[in-house]
Amino acid sequence: MAQMTMIQAITDALRTELKNDENVLVFGEDVGNNGGVFRATEGLQKEFGEDRVFDTPLAESGIGGLAVGLSLQGFRPVPEIQFFGFVFEVMDSISGQLARMRFRSGGVYNAPVTIRSPFGGGVHTPEMHADSLEGLMAASPGLKVVIPSSPYDAKGLLISSIRDNDPVIFLEHMKLYRSFREEVPEEEYTIPLGEAAVKREGTDLSIITYGAMVQESLKAAEELEKEGFSVEVIDLRTIQPLDIKTIIASVEKTGRVVVVQEAQRQAGIAANIVAEINERAILSLEAPVLRVTAPDTIFPFSQAETVWLPNSKDIIATAKKVLTF
Amino acid sequence: MVAKNVKQLGPVEILQEIEEKFEMFQILNEEGKIVNKDADPKLSDEDLTELMRRMVYTRILDQRSISLNRQGRLGFYAPTAGQEASQLASQFALKKEDFILPGYRDVPQIIWHGLPLSQAFLFSRGHFMGNQIPEGVNVLPPQIIIGAQFVQAAGVALGMQKRGKKSVAVTYTGDGGSSQGDFYEGINFAGAFKSPAIFIVQNNQFAISTPRELQTAAKTIAQKGIAAGIPSVLVDGMDPLAVYVATRDARERAVNGEGPTLIETLCYRYGPHTMAGDDPTRYRTSETDSEWEKKDPLVRFRAYLETKKLWDEEKENAVIEQAKEEIKAAIKTADGAPKQKVTDLMEFMYGDEMPFNLKEQYELYKEKESK
């Protein structure tokens, strides 16, 4: 066991898979010699060579096309999109091509591609770096979308993503990269995609969340406990497909739910979760399912992040509304 | 030395100089005479006859496809008449191990690369079995997103390079497609990685109704290769021998590790853009049409082969009859394809276990389908 930050756990997972499978290729803008703008691929080119870990020209769409083409030659590409706000340049390669490869060829071809990309607010990035655009990906049939919130999950989920035989979007929250360390096994292990984790057990209220909002929700749960409320926190880990079983089991136990996301109210995936609960467990509900989200504006100018991004205070306020409905 | 002003650098003159360098490469003129003896590929009699056979066959395939489409027995169809040299002579220069990434008009190339005709018809109708490419046939289904095939070709070529294969990735787009970002990114990536790719732009003068002049101020599309730093060539796309030689040479360079090539084939489509209601009389004059009909690749190749006593009416009629019969049989095979079910479609979504949502929906549709 070793104490690792999330970024170290990610590098470790990449190293593990580069070692395990010679078809794994890591590429993107500045991921080679430079080791990535966040050092996620630090040392990998040196260890595995320029043939396995390499830089590309600055063009996201081209990177997506490269991934499609390489997978047609039997490779297992792990490309990086430097910041997920740049996904618009490569939306066709992802949603229009990778996601559809197996389907459009009637199962003849597949695209075992894992796209890694950082996102998320709270670190005062310039425009189009921090936007939460996972909702766009979750709406594309053929994709799986994974968002880890801890070093341990990041490693196991990334190994699973790379081994998956269909395209996976692996979104890494920038604020979580180095915010805390955690025990991470040095040997390889996997965490199944599509399985949520109960990060804290409780009986009065379920908070369903993912990404940086997991930490905020845990903070809120602690505060609420001081006031006598027992709060369960579920980290979805995979937001497409959803772990309906775990969600519904928790809802049936607590009868009250808050869904928390960093994305704007009209974006993200919170509305999906509310709908699923509504269809499957309405008879268990003591109160309506409420959402904590960002406001429906463009992602804020960096100085306005603190007033714009949802945090534990917002979660506590909404939780109380649900608890006292 | 540093120039005193921009004028001294001569940007206008440089452009003119570059554009003048892109002369059209031609071997066979409109009368079917060799005008470029040095470049003559000197194909064997069998090869010349086979190429002619494929061109005639494909012209018939186009005529029959249009008529089958009008009868409602085919769906989406993008006519190919006029582009036989451009499409088939380029494919003729390839080897089985080469990988073709076609656009939506490039069905003939993948047929001659090994896709059964009945599957090409199923593609047209919109049936998944049409896209189930047989093993060992190195092609993708026709790409609908214009330009996407170019960035993907760069990836396939890089993959071949990494595998140490002696093969190439070949992709096609039209004149309109050369305005896309993916067109540029594709040729630029392949250039930067020096990958074995051949990028073919079939300049048939119109992108639906938009004439080639509205796509770009560049005098040729071939010169766009300069932006990627890759060799490029403008070819008479109505001349099968010139297209063959340009592709053969690009292939040779590519498998020798010298990188990609951009080929512009100057050609013309006689029919509409697609059979989905496009009316070319709205944007084309009959004068232009007949001017290009004189350049017909079949007319000049037929004349050439007749002087070599390799072709006659009897041979041509035999090909036509064979084509018609095979087309009839292929349509019949296509008719026999089972109707698609929603559960079939679900099965092609993921290779591993179905995710929760699909599993649930699968049960629902299975129930529905059992009734």
Side-chain angles (χ1 to χ4, degrees):
Chain A
M1 292 288 248
Q3 288 280 324
M4 286 189 201
T5 61
M6 191 163 97
I7 201 99
Q8 288 169 330
I10 287 166
T11 313
D12 196 46
L14 290 170
R15 182 179 292 111
T16 304
E17 288 312 277
L18 279 161
K19 216 180 279 177
N20 273 337
D21 183 351
E22 58 181 18
N23 290 315
V24 171
L25 300 175
V26 172
F27 56 90
E29 296 156 7
D30 312 294
V31 304
N33 178 42
N34 191 46
V37 292
F38 291 104
R39 301 286 167 262
T41 53
E42 175 91 23
L44 296 180
Q45 189 182 66
K46 215 170 174 191
E47 190 176 342
F48 297 97
E50 286 174 32
D51 204 39
R52 306 281 310 281
V53 181
F54 54 95
D55 292 322
T56 66
L58 203 167
E60 286 75 20
S61 189
I63 291 171
L66 213 58
V68 175
L70 285 165
S71 64
L72 287 168
Q73 289 294 308
F75 287 100
R76 201 168 273 274
V78 188
E80 177 182 297
I81 300 298
Q82 202 160 63
F83 295 95
F84 206 56
F86 310 165
V87 72
F88 294 111
E89 298 283 351
V90 61
M91 274 299 280
D92 177 57
S93 280
I94 298 175
S95 297
Q97 308 290 332
L98 281 169
R100 307 167 69 99
M101 183 59 83
R102 188 186 288 277
F103 180 84
R104 74 185 289 255
S105 66
V108 171
Y109 298 119
N110 66 315
V113 175
T114 301
I115 297 182
R116 288 184 42 251
S117 189
F119 79 108
V123 289
H124 301 295
T125 49
E127 212 174 356
M128 293 291 287
H129 283 57
D131 297 58
S132 288
L133 300 168
E134 69 278 9
L136 298 175
M137 299 291 108
S140 289
L143 298 179
K144 291 174 186 160
V145 187
V146 176
I147 305 181
S149 72
S150 74
Y152 179 86
D153 284 354
K155 180 174 172 181
L157 287 167
L158 183 52
I159 293 177
S160 294
S161 300
I162 294 172
R163 292 182 186 177
D164 199 282
N165 290 315
D166 292 300
V168 177
I169 310 299
F170 192 87
L171 297 174
E172 304 165 3
H173 200 291
M174 283 184 272
K175 204 182 172 189
L176 299 175
Y177 267 155
R178 294 183 174 86
S179 64
F180 66 99
R181 285 173 187 274
E182 191 177 57
E183 287 288 325
V184 176
E186 276 163 76
E187 64 272 17
E188 63 175 74
Y189 63 93
T190 57
I191 296 173
L193 305 187
E195 269 188 26
V198 180
K199 292 269 155 148
R200 181 192 172 102
E201 292 201 29
T203 51
D204 297 333
L205 172 79
S206 304
I207 296 181
I208 298 163
T209 187
Y210 58 99
M213 290 300 115
V214 173
Q215 290 299 320
E216 293 300 318
S217 298
L218 288 169
K219 231 188 279 174
E222 232 164 84
E223 290 299 315
L224 287 162
E225 189 174 84
K226 287 177 194 159
E227 297 180 39
F229 299 111
S230 161
V231 178
E232 183 148 295
V233 176
I234 293 178
D235 178 0
L236 291 170
R237 301 196 294 194
T238 300
I239 61 143
Q240 176 61 44
L242 287 170
D243 182 352
I244 298 289
K245 248 193 213 157
T246 303
I247 294 170
I248 298 303
S250 178
V251 173
E252 283 172 348
K253 178 171 71 173
T254 62
R256 296 174 198 269
V257 192
V258 174
V259 184
V260 183
Q261 69 180 20
E262 181 175 319
Q264 294 89 336
R265 202 169 185 79
Q266 70 184 62
I269 55 142
N272 294 354
I273 296 164
V274 177
E276 294 289 351
I277 294 170
N278 205 24
E279 287 187 14
R280 295 167 197 271
I282 196 157
L283 295 177
S284 305
L285 291 177
E286 304 285 343
V289 180
L290 296 191
R291 288 175 286 168
V292 175
T293 70
D296 285 331
T297 72
I298 302 297
F299 191 90
F301 297 96
S302 63
Q303 288 197 329
E305 273 187 333
T306 45
V307 293
W308 190 88
L309 287 168
N311 59 29
S312 60
K313 281 188 191 144
D314 302 314
I315 300 169
I316 291 167
T318 306
K320 281 186 177 166
K321 269 192 212 163
V322 174
L323 284 161
T324 59
F325 178 79
Chain B
M1 276 288 281
V2 174
K4 288 199 184 80
N5 56 45
V6 173
K7 221 173 162 186
Q8 195 188 332
L9 290 169
V12 177
E13 291 74 16
I14 288 171
L15 176 66
Q16 278 168 353
E17 207 177 299
I18 286 170
E19 289 188 324
E20 275 161 21
K21 292 216 162 113
F22 281 90
E23 288 172 29
M24 190 170 75
F25 176 58
Q26 190 189 55
I27 295 175
L28 213 53
N29 71 8
E30 290 171 31
E31 283 82 44
K33 299 229 161 59
I34 300 272
V35 291
N36 190 345
K37 274 209 175 84
D38 295 343
D40 184 353
K42 304 217 168 62
L43 288 169
S44 69
D45 289 353
E46 289 86 50
D47 278 350
L48 287 170
T49 321
E50 175 61 14
L51 183 52
M52 183 63 187
R53 190 183 78 80
R54 291 183 184 191
M55 286 178 30
V56 171
Y57 192 113
T58 306
R59 179 67 59 89
I60 298 301
L61 177 60
D62 184 69
Q63 289 166 1
R64 291 297 303 140
S65 297
I66 287 171
S67 128
L68 287 162
N69 167 283
R70 290 201 173 119
Q71 296 163 28
R73 301 188 69 197
L74 280 182
F76 173 76
Y77 182 69
T80 59
Q83 298 187 204
E84 291 85 356
S86 183
Q87 297 184 318
L88 305 180
S90 56
Q91 191 278 331
F92 202 65
L94 305 182
K95 299 225 178 340
K96 200 171 160 48
E97 58 268 30
D98 297 334
F99 197 106
I100 300 181
L101 296 97
Y104 53 79
R105 201 182 302 281
D106 304 310
V107 177
Q109 292 96 308
I110 60 174
I111 290 174
W112 291 110
H113 216 58
L115 182 76
L117 204 50
S118 58
Q119 285 189 267
F121 290 150
L122 285 171
F123 159 75
S124 163
R125 287 177 177 180
H127 194 300
F128 71 82
M129 285 175 81
N131 286 2
Q132 287 178 320
I133 311 294
E135 208 182 322
V137 177
N138 294 313
V139 306
L140 273 184
Q143 178 60 252
I144 299 296
I145 302 303
I146 297 171
Q149 70 271 36
F150 265 50
V151 280
Q152 293 174 12
V156 172
L158 181 63
M160 289 172 164
Q161 186 180 340
K162 285 186 178 296
R163 296 277 186 222
K165 292 182 182 172
K166 288 276 174 208
S167 57
V168 294
V170 185
T171 188
Y172 298 83
T173 191
D175 41 311
S178 70
S179 301
Q180 289 279 0
D182 276 355
F183 163 86
Y184 170 69
E185 289 185 33
I187 62 174
N188 188 58
F189 268 58
F193 291 116
K194 230 179 177 191
S195 302
I198 303 177
F199 298 99
I200 299 179
V201 177
Q202 299 184 76
N203 173 6
N204 68 14
Q205 324 280 330
F206 286 92
I208 306 189
S209 67
T210 308
R212 145 75 182 81
E213 294 69 36
L214 268 177
Q215 297 297 339
T216 173
K219 265 215 182 99
T220 67
I221 292 169
Q223 75 195 66
K224 292 192 175 197
I226 293 172
I230 67 169
S232 37
V233 54
L234 169 63
V235 180
D236 181 350
M238 307 300 260
D239 171 1
L241 294 182
V243 173
Y244 173 82
V245 168
T247 315
R248 180 200 66 188
D249 290 356
R251 188 184 186 282
E252 204 171 292
R253 282 175 21 77
V255 296
N256 287 336
E258 291 166 53
T261 304
L262 175 66
I263 299 174
E264 173 186 1
T265 64
L266 197 61
C267 57
Y268 201 75
R269 67 167 149 86
Y270 297 142
H273 163 67
T274 66
M275 295 305 292
D278 176 42
D279 172 13
T281 63
R282 292 169 76 106
Y283 53 84
R284 258 180 3 206
T285 62
S286 54
E287 287 83 52
T288 326
D289 281 355
S290 55
E291 194 186 304
W292 278 92
E293 270 157 26
K294 282 183 218 143
K295 297 180 198 277
D296 193 323
L298 267 67
V299 169
R300 71 176 77 174
F301 206 42
R302 190 182 289 126
Y304 175 63
L305 293 194
E306 276 170 358
T307 58
K308 288 175 83 88
K309 305 257 185 277
L310 291 172
W311 201 256
D312 54 32
E313 217 183 314
E314 198 183 328
K315 273 189 179 150
E316 178 133 347
N317 285 335
V319 178
I320 293 171
E321 280 319 302
Q322 188 200 1
K324 284 182 176 167
E325 259 169 53
E326 287 180 8
I327 290 163
K328 213 190 266 174
I331 277 288
K332 218 174 148 192
T333 308
D335 288 344
K339 272 199 180 142
Q340 298 169 97
K341 303 192 297 288
V342 177
T343 49
D344 296 331
L345 305 181
M346 289 175 168
E347 277 163 12
F348 300 131
M349 285 300 299
Y350 300 95
D352 306 327
E353 201 190 342
M354 267 187 201
F356 181 86
N357 53 330
L358 264 190
K359 224 185 268 174
E360 215 175 58
Q361 292 160 32
Y362 188 85
E363 292 310 318
L364 213 72
Y365 279 90
K366 217 166 107 182
E367 167 81 27
K368 228 171 145 181
E369 286 161 8
S370 69
K371 278 175 194 158

